Amino acid sequence: QVRLLESGGGLVQAGGSVRLSCVASGRTFSTYTMASWFRQAPGKEREFVAVVGWRLQSIYYSEFAEGRFTISRDMDKDTVYLQMNSLKPEDTAVYFCAAASFWPMNYREKQAYELWGQGTQVTVSS
């Protein structure tokens, strides 16, 4: 069974940092074209955070993530990371890792992804 497993969430104060990790099991990230992070706050739609191309390492961010968050991948560890700095209370959400076999035009939309993790909660206190 192919799965994505996120970890690293928790409670952090505003201005602090958190690093999320996402590991693939059952199928390696190298067989996917891209990996992304999304987030979903209570009562809101799931929104795109950042994407990284597994082989070419093309990277794109949402506007709110640009300059504060960094997505990266470690091919040896088959892991995707999301380093989040200067966190704000509005960053509170469940963060999901996702993977896709192709890089479509709508990579910022959740419909583009075929595999999702279970999510990890990040809570930023003021």
Side-chain angles (χ1 to χ4, degrees):
Q1 183 180 4
V2 181
R3 297 175 62 189
L4 296 178
L5 303 174
E6 303 100 333
S7 61
L11 177 64
V12 61
Q13 289 189 330
S17 299
V18 166
R19 188 177 81 157
L20 306 182
S21 300
C22 176
V23 179
S25 66
R27 177 179 169 183
T28 67
F29 266 123
S30 63
T31 63
Y32 291 97
T33 297
M34 62 178 185
S36 294
W37 288 94
F38 282 72
R39 71 183 187 182
Q40 188 167 15
K44 294 188 177 181
E45 292 290 321
R46 191 170 298 188
E47 62 178 349
F48 170 78
V49 178
V51 61
V52 60
W54 191 255
R55 297 177 186 84
L56 299 180
Q57 206 178 192
S58 300
I59 291 175
Y60 299 97
Y61 295 97
S62 64
E63 187 174 334
F64 65 79
E66 191 76 55
R68 297 191 300 129
F69 296 0
T70 302
I71 189 171
S72 62
R73 91 275 190 269
D74 186 323
M75 299 181 81
D76 292 334
K77 295 183 178 179
D78 210 28
T79 300
V80 176
Y81 301 98
L82 184 67
Q83 176 69 43
M84 302 190 292
N85 300 326
S86 302
L87 284 164
K88 307 173 182 179
E90 51 264 43
D91 293 318
T92 295
V94 178
Y95 284 74
F96 297 89
C97 178
S101 298
F102 305 96
W103 192 303
M105 292 291 290
N106 64 335
Y107 66 87
R108 294 174 180 263
E109 299 177 16
K110 56 183 183 291
Q111 295 89 335
Y113 297 84
E114 61 206 64
L115 183 65
W116 291 85
Q118 82 288 348
T120 184
Q121 176 72 46
V122 174
T123 302
V124 184
S125 63
S126 58

